[in-house]
Amino acid sequence: MKTESADILIIGAGPAGSVAAGLLRKQGRDVLVLEREQFPRFSIGESLLPQSMEYIEAAGMLQDVVEAGFQYKNGAAFVRGDKYTDFDFRDKFSPGWGTTFQVQRAHFDHVLAKGAERQGAIVRYRHEVLSVDTSGEQPEVTARGPDGETYRVRARFLLDASGFGRVLPRLLNLETPSNFPKRGAIFTHVQDRTPPGSFDRNKIRVTVHPEHVHVWYWTIPFSDGRCSLGVVAKMEYLEQYQGTDTERLQAIVKETPSLSDLLKDAVWDTPARKLTGYAANVKSLWGPGFALLGNAGEFLDPVFSSGVTIAFKSASLAADCIRRAYAGETVDWEKDYAKPLKAGVDTFRTFVESWYEGGFQQVIFHPNPSPDVRRMISAILAGYAWDTNNPYVAESKRRLTVLEAVCA
C-alpha cells in the first residue's frame, strides 16, 4: 500500500477544515485535506455570526466570501406571538465585526475550500478515511479514493474537521453522550415570496411556538429570494406528526400564525430533511498528534447559530498550537486548545440551556431592557463568547440567573 507524508492532514473540507488549511498555509505548512463528499454539497447551518469574519479574514478568504454574493446580515430578530424584538450586531459590547452573511452552505463551503486550494492546500474530494493509528510517533491514516484504491498518509499533525461525520470520535472510541435532551430538526429551503417590508432580510428570524417554549423555528433569508426554514423541538413533539418530512414541517409551521402568515405564498419546492439527536460530545478534544475541530468535537444546538463560529475558533486555536510546536515550543493541548475553546462553548451552553427553560426568552422579550445589558447580550449573539471583558461571558451563569429573576 502506498504511503504518503504531509505536515498536516485535515479530515473534512467544511468551514473548520478549510479555514484551518488557510491558516496553516500562511505558516508555510504542507497541508493535505481529505473530503469524503464531492463539493458543492448540501449542508445545514446557513446563518453566520460576525465573529466568524475575523477568522475568514485571518485565513486569507475574506475577498472570496465578500465577492460570492451572499445575503448581508446585521442582526437577529425574535418573535413570540405578538411580541417582536431584534438585535443589531453593530450595536454590541465587544469590538470587532458587527456584520456578516447568510449563506447557502453548499456554495459557501465550496468558496472556502477553493480559497484553501488557492493558497496551496491540496484538497482531495471523494476520499474517505477508513482507519486511524495514533500509536506511533506520528498519526497515520488509511484512506480510500474514488477509484477504490487504498493508501496511507503519515502526518505530523492530524485535524479532524469532519463535522457530523465525526470520523476520529468514531474510530478512536472518543464519543460520549451529550447532556442535552434529545432534540431534532426538520428543515428545507423554500422560495419565500414574503411581501415587501414584512421581513427584515438582513436578520435571521427566530420564532417561538405560541404554546410550547421548547419549539422554535428559524427563517434565514438568502440573496436570491429563497430562505432556509426549519423547526427544532424535542423528539416526542416532532414524532406526533405524520407524513413526509415536508408535510410534517408544513403542519408545524401552521401552528404558529405569525410565521404561517409570513410564508403564506411560499413555494415549497425542495423536499425537507431531518436531523435527530444532533447534540454530541467527546471524552477529549485532542490526543497524541491529533485534535478535533468544530462539530467533530462537540455540537450544542442551532438556536444561536454558533456552530460555524465555534468551528472557526477551534481552527484558529489549533493552528496557533501547531505554529508554536513547529517553533520548538512545548504545547499543552489541554491548556492551550481544549480549555480556551470550551470556555466560549460553555458561554453559549449557558444561554442555550436558559433559552429552552424559558428564562432567556423572558430576557429577550422584556419590554424595558437595559441598553447596556442588551449590548452585552448582542455581543454574545454576534459570536463574541470568548470576550471575558463582557460580564455575561466572564460570569455567564451568575449574571444570567440574576437577569432572569429581574425579567421574570
Side-chain angles (χ1 to χ4, degrees), residues 93-377:
F93 175 87
S94 303
W97 284 82
T99 63
T100 184
F101 298 99
Q102 295 176 149
V103 301
Q104 296 93 330
R105 284 286 303 278
H107 183 30
F108 175 72
D109 291 9
H110 202 197
V111 166
L112 295 185
K114 288 188 290 186
E117 289 182 290
R118 175 176 51 74
Q119 295 185 65
I122 297 173
V123 181
R124 295 178 183 167
Y125 297 103
R126 297 174 60 204
H127 283 250
E128 182 178 8
V129 171
L130 303 176
S131 63
V132 178
D133 184 357
T134 60
S135 62
E137 291 186 4
Q138 295 184 346
E140 187 174 274
V141 162
T142 300
R144 179 172 56 217
D147 58 2
E149 293 294 319
T150 58
Y151 61 95
R152 295 190 185 97
V153 181
R154 188 175 296 119
R156 181 167 176 181
F157 290 100
L158 172 61
L159 300 179
D160 184 359
S162 60
F164 288 118
R166 300 171 62 77
V167 171
L168 291 191
R170 288 189 294 103
L171 295 177
L172 299 180
N173 191 31
L174 297 173
E175 293 184 301
T176 188
S178 170
N179 59 0
F180 273 23
K182 190 173 182 180
R183 300 187 179 97
I186 307 176
F187 50 88
T188 188
H189 287 181
V190 301
Q191 190 179 146
D192 56 86
R193 294 187 176 181
T194 54
S198 64
F199 185 21
D200 186 349
R201 303 192 74 86
N202 295 331
K203 294 177 175 65
I204 180 176
R205 185 183 181 105
V206 175
T207 305
V208 183
H209 191 283
E211 298 178 15
H212 305 291
V213 70
H214 70 92
V215 180
W216 65 274
Y217 311 78
W218 75 73
T219 314
I220 303 171
F222 300 136
S223 58
D224 60 358
R226 300 178 64 78
C227 74
S228 174
L229 172 66
V231 63
V232 175
K234 293 178 181 178
M235 292 303 302
E236 54 266 31
Y237 178 85
L238 298 177
E239 289 169 352
Q240 67 181 317
Y241 294 89
Q242 304 299 315
T244 66
D245 289 329
T246 299
E247 291 167 340
R248 294 164 69 200
L249 179 56
Q250 289 174 325
I252 300 172
V253 167
K254 286 180 181 178
E255 293 187 354
T256 303
S258 63
L259 185 58
S260 181
D261 290 346
L262 183 71
L263 299 173
K264 63 181 183 299
D265 296 324
V267 178
W268 296 66
D269 54 7
T270 304
R273 306 181 185 209
K274 64 176 178 290
L275 185 62
T276 59
Y278 48 73
N281 207 345
V282 290
K283 300 171 185 175
S284 176
L285 288 170
W286 62 279
F290 73 84
L292 309 180
L293 307 186
N295 293 350
E298 181 175 8
F299 182 75
L300 296 175
D301 191 271
V303 65
F304 301 129
S305 305
S306 61
V308 173
T309 299
I310 293 171
F312 286 160
K313 179 68 174 182
S314 68
S316 176
L317 288 169
D320 190 59
C321 286
I322 291 171
R323 176 192 61 77
R324 293 176 52 207
Y326 271 93
E329 298 181 35
T330 299
V331 177
D332 181 335
W333 280 83
E334 184 64 26
K335 175 178 174 290
D336 301 329
Y337 174 71
K339 286 187 176 179
L341 180 60
K342 288 179 179 177
V345 173
D346 285 344
T347 298
F348 282 124
R349 186 194 316 278
T350 297
F351 283 81
V352 168
E353 289 174 343
S354 178
W355 169 268
Y356 283 106
E357 291 166 358
F360 188 46
Q361 293 185 31
Q362 289 182 319
V363 171
I364 285 178
F365 292 110
H366 194 274
N368 298 302
S370 159
D372 289 340
V373 171
R374 271 184 65 88
R375 293 182 70 246
M376 293 173 187
I377 291 174

Side-chain angles (χ1 to χ4, degrees), residues 39-51:
F39 279 23
R41 55 88 179 93
F42 179 85
S43 183
I44 199 67
E46 300 97 342
S47 196
L48 306 183
L49 302 184
Q51 170 83 81

Side-chain angles (χ1 to χ4, degrees), residues 22-36:
L23 294 170
L24 291 163
R25 283 298 302 152
K26 284 182 171 293
Q27 298 177 19
R29 304 276 72 84
D30 169 31
V31 180
L32 172 62
V33 183
L34 302 183
E35 168 56 52
R36 184 180 62 181

